[in-house]
Amino acid sequence: MNSKLFSVLLFLTGTISITAQDNCSKFYPMNEGVSMEYTNYNKKGKVEGVSAFKVVESNNTGDATHATMAINMRDAKGKDAYSTSYKLTCSGNMVTLDYESLLPTEMMEQYGDMDIEISGNDIEIPNELTVGQNLNDANVAMKISMSGINMNMTVDMTNRKVEKKESVTTTAGTYDCFVLYSENRSKMMMANQVYPSRVWLAEGIGMVKQETYKKNGELMSSTLLTAHSK
């Protein structure tokens, strides 16, 4: 369960998409029907699965644009492995992702009527990025009470910064990207793990590439954009 949450969280730090023609977002898709496909690889470059993203709803309220993104993950054999959705908002010069949306729907259904408390800070991606720029930390925390026993889970994204600019070539094309770095800490009960990551983000496209590392810098997994449609 915790690994699923962490994987989705990493996607959401920069995953996605296409410049909206009628709202304020540069890096996130906000138009209904926009879709992206990402192929996921293990540390040896072997395909582990494919993730499909699609904007299923979009609307404007005042000076803000709100959208819902659906995610479907399939394993290497094409079998559905996991599905969820999240909400994002664009207002002014900033796109924000609701921290509660980081908690997968199937996880919430699993705990049913249990007493659950959720708190956190939204993920923010400014429309204007520059090399050396520091980005605000983000986190989500969940406290579950079961028969007098409390279970806590948190995911913290710290040391977020725009590291550099770099050109990336995939089967979908060649893109000029900003490289966003973050350190991601996952805590659940006694488990405490830290995974640095980098996301290659292109204006007008969104996430083109992502790499996740062990604490010592060794590559754990990677993701590449393999298809997108307006």
Side-chain angles (χ1 to χ4, degrees), residues 214-226:
K214 293 182 179 179
K215 190 175 181 179
N216 63 6
E218 180 182 346
L219 180 67
M220 289 178 56
S221 62
S222 62
T223 299
L224 289 176
L225 174 71
T226 48

Side-chain angles (χ1 to χ4, degrees), residues 1-6 103 107 110-111 140 142 144 146 150-156 185-193:
M1 175 191 67
N2 197 35
S3 62
K4 287 183 178 180
L5 170 61
F6 185 71
L103 297 172
M107 178 190 297
Q110 177 182 348
Y111 292 116
V140 60
M142 183 167 69
I144 304 170
M146 300 179 294
N150 293 327
M151 181 175 68
N152 298 307
M153 179 177 63
T154 63
V155 177
D156 298 303
R185 183 182 300 275
S186 172
K187 300 178 184 178
M188 184 171 183
M189 304 302 286
M190 299 301 293
N192 189 343
Q193 298 174 307

Side-chain angles (χ1 to χ4, degrees), residues 32-134:
E32 288 185 20
V34 171
S35 63
M36 293 74 61
E37 181 182 86
Y38 294 92
T39 301
N40 311 313
Y41 305 87
N42 64 17
K43 63 181 181 180
K44 296 182 178 180
K46 182 179 179 180
V47 174
E48 289 197 324
V50 175
S51 300
F53 289 69
K54 185 174 183 178
V55 180
V56 294
E57 183 179 0
S58 179
N59 60 78
N60 296 308
T61 304
D63 61 352
T65 300
H66 308 274
T68 300
M69 178 75 71
I71 308 172
N72 178 256
M73 299 182 182
R74 305 188 303 276
D75 62 22
K77 296 181 179 180
K79 182 180 178 180
D80 287 343
Y82 179 61
S83 295
T84 190
S85 64
Y86 67 92
K87 297 183 183 298
L88 49 92
T89 299
C90 179
S91 180
N93 190 43
M94 188 77 67
V95 175
T96 59
L97 175 70
D98 181 5
Y99 64 81
E100 289 194 30
S101 297
L102 301 179
L103 297 172
T105 302
E106 69 171 21
M107 178 190 297
M108 303 305 293
E109 293 176 347
Q110 177 182 348
Y111 292 116
D113 296 327
M114 296 179 185
D115 186 15
I116 300 176
E117 297 179 14
I118 302 172
S119 60
N121 295 313
D122 294 340
I123 297 174
E124 298 179 343
I125 299 287
N127 279 332
E128 302 301 326
L129 298 176
T130 58
V131 175
Q133 179 179 2
N134 292 318

